[in-house]
Amino acid sequence: MSRVDPRVKLLWVVLCTSGAVLFARPLWMLGLTLFTLGGALLLGADFLGLGRRLRRFLPVLAMLTAVQILFVRTGTPLLTLGGRVLVTGEGLWKGLAAGLRLVIVFCASAVMMREDSRRVINSLIQMGVPYLFCFSLFAALCFLPLLSEAFAQALTALQLRGVNLKAVPWGRKLRLYAALIVPVLTEALARVEKLAAVMEARGFGALPRRTIYGRASMGAADWAAVCFLLVAGLTALRFYLAS
């Protein structure tokens, strides 16, 4: 399935990420996650690489989940201590939903990372989308693994300084991971500036129009996949709003 037209993959990504934002009910979010994992498998995602990136990002995922669980006070109490509610049903669900949304985004990124950027850009240009927007879109899809890599490098730097992360208590570990967010974002922004400098040095945007070397064409299987995704997306949206 690696030769599927990039527009089919982009439509799948739009449907999965839009559903991750729209769906707020547990069963719908679980179903969307399974649909995303199945689509990523069919579209040739690198699950080994995806697993490595998710493993590196687990501390941030745990922190986001813990924040949702501890600070959402609405819903049925599930865990109390001394008459004080620690975990509620809605808080637990919102914490799990934050983790599932991150998995969906990683799956979408894993699929697009294996796609040739030139094929994606050429396909969108043929649809009349401006080249600048096409390039920015593909760069954004590749940006999340960049954050994961920067976070892994920050953890490696801590370990080289003698910090044994396995021996650090969970409370201090969460504060440590929270403190790493700023340097990770700084490193990511520095890489973005380098990318912008390289693009400017190569004359990006110097001419009003660009030529296309290889024109993409959608086959019968691609059109069938587009029809299936559109029907599935509209049907899911209708049932979700009606329920």
Side-chain angles (χ1 to χ4, degrees), residues 101-114:
R101 288 188 179 97
L102 195 59
V103 171
I104 290 172
V105 172
F106 266 102
C107 288
S109 177
V111 170
M112 297 310 300
M113 281 288 292
R114 300 199 67 180

Side-chain angles (χ1 to χ4, degrees), residues 145-191:
L146 190 66
L147 290 177
S148 176
E149 182 182 350
F151 192 84
Q153 291 177 355
L155 290 178
T156 302
L158 283 178
Q159 293 173 344
L160 291 176
R161 292 186 179 184
V163 178
N164 187 3
L165 295 176
K166 295 181 179 179
V168 176
W170 269 104
R172 292 185 57 191
K173 188 178 294 186
L174 289 176
R175 290 194 296 269
L176 182 63
Y177 290 145
L180 289 178
I181 292 178
V182 173
V184 166
L185 291 178
T186 303
E187 173 67 19
L189 291 175
R191 295 192 181 189

Side-chain angles (χ1 to χ4, degrees), residues 28-131:
W28 283 88
M29 182 59 71
L30 290 174
L32 177 63
T33 304
L34 294 176
F35 174 79
T36 304
L37 290 172
L41 179 62
L42 290 175
L43 294 175
D46 182 11
F47 276 95
L48 292 178
L50 176 63
R52 288 192 296 267
R53 285 190 288 269
L54 280 176
R55 187 173 64 251
R56 294 174 181 176
F57 216 74
L58 280 179
V60 176
L61 176 60
M63 184 184 67
L64 292 175
T65 303
V67 167
Q68 292 287 344
I69 292 175
L70 295 176
F71 288 94
V72 175
R73 302 286 82 196
T74 57
T76 305
L78 298 180
L79 179 63
T80 59
L81 180 62
R84 184 176 181 179
V85 178
L86 297 179
V87 179
T88 64
E90 187 171 350
L92 179 61
W93 159 241
K94 287 190 175 181
L96 294 176
L100 292 178
R101 288 188 179 97
L102 195 59
V103 171
I104 290 172
V105 172
F106 266 102
C107 288
S109 177
V111 170
M112 297 310 300
M113 281 288 292
R114 300 199 67 180
E115 182 58 63
D116 183 12
S117 61
R118 178 55 53 191
R119 290 184 70 222
V120 177
I121 294 174
N122 289 349
S123 299
L124 293 177
I125 290 176
Q126 289 178 217
M127 297 173 59
V129 181
Y131 177 80

